Amino acid sequence: YDMYGDDLGRVLDGELGGDFEQLITNCLQGIEQDFDPEFHTEDKVKEDVESLYDAGQGSFGTDEAALFKFLCTAPPEHLKTVNLAYAEEHGFTLSKACEKELKGASEKAAVFLIGMKLKPEETVAKLIQKACAGMGTNELLLTSTLIRYQSMLPDVDAAHQEEYGKSIKERVVSEARGKYETLLVEVVKCGLGETDEE
């Protein structure tokens, strides 16, 4: 608002629509709860598993509002327990359930949200790999990911090496060229805490 003189929620309301807008609006509200072991109990886990099933696989049609509110409000510790309990009870993780119940941008956003809460380093590593997959490089996705998650790069780099057998820097060098390569390498080095003397 200070920079552009307009409310971000109102701007996105004019640009987005449907389920995707609903999920983004929930995310903008910053409503994630703090984990409270006295509130996020085993009974709460069971209650949420049942509610999520009723909102999706257990009904005709999907209650996106209930699903998105839970995903945005649940703290990672609670979401992890609910995810395990849901998979044990219904045979699907929450990510798989979202893939079945949602479509398009809403599906991708919900799965990404779950990933960032449960396995953030692996999720960002996968995003970097996705930017470099196939013919050509998605430069906007690669650049945005490296800058947005620069502070996470030490852990992301470890996850990337474990999953794909190469470091992020090696990935960048193999994908980028010229000044763009030089710039991205410096972004990665800065995120990893490396210096030219090392």
Side-chain angles (χ1 to χ4, degrees):
Y1 182 87
D2 290 341
M3 185 174 293
Y4 298 106
D6 207 349
D7 179 73
L8 179 58
R10 190 167 62 180
V11 171
L12 292 177
D13 182 58
E15 297 292 330
L16 307 175
D19 299 340
F20 185 53
E21 177 190 351
Q22 192 174 24
L23 176 55
I24 296 302
T25 299
N26 274 276
C27 291
L28 281 177
Q29 292 173 352
I31 53 178
E32 182 178 290
Q33 302 166 345
D34 292 328
F35 180 71
D36 181 355
E38 294 185 1
F39 176 74
H40 297 103
T41 61
E42 289 187 13
D43 287 340
K44 177 62 174 170
V45 170
K46 294 177 182 178
E47 175 186 330
D48 286 339
V49 167
E50 182 176 351
S51 296
L52 288 169
Y53 183 75
D54 290 342
Q57 292 176 279
S59 65
F60 182 76
T62 304
D63 185 350
E64 290 87 357
L67 174 60
F68 295 159
K69 182 178 180 180
F70 171 78
L71 293 179
C72 290
T73 58
E77 301 92 334
H78 181 62
L79 182 62
K80 181 177 181 180
T81 308
V82 170
N83 185 56
L84 292 173
Y86 192 95
E88 183 176 344
E89 182 74 19
H90 301 294
F92 294 99
T93 63
L94 292 179
S95 292
K96 289 297 182 182
C98 285
E99 290 174 358
K100 288 179 172 292
E101 295 296 322
L102 304 173
K103 302 295 181 185
S106 299
E107 174 200 332
K108 294 177 182 177
V111 170
F112 183 77
L113 174 59
I114 293 170
M116 287 302 295
K117 287 197 174 193
L118 298 185
K119 296 182 177 181
E121 294 82 12
E122 291 88 339
T123 300
V124 175
K126 185 177 181 180
L127 202 59
I128 293 172
Q129 189 275 335
K130 178 181 178 182
C132 302
M135 296 293 292
T137 303
N138 186 333
E139 294 183 353
L140 177 59
L141 179 58
L142 180 59
T143 306
S144 300
T145 302
L146 292 177
I147 293 174
R148 169 64 180 85
Y149 301 108
Q150 190 179 37
S151 64
M152 294 173 55
L153 285 187
D155 292 331
V156 173
D157 191 50
H160 191 280
Q161 291 191 50
E162 181 175 348
E163 183 67 24
Y164 304 110
K166 64 172 66 175
S167 68
I168 296 175
K169 189 190 300 184
E170 290 171 330
R171 171 82 70 181
V172 167
V173 170
S174 69
E175 295 290 331
R177 296 291 181 271
K179 293 182 179 179
Y180 179 57
E181 175 192 343
T182 301
L183 175 61
L184 289 191
V185 168
E186 288 302 315
V187 170
V188 173
K189 287 171 62 178
C190 182
L192 295 176
E194 297 180 358
T195 64
D196 292 334
E197 287 76 18
E198 292 179 329

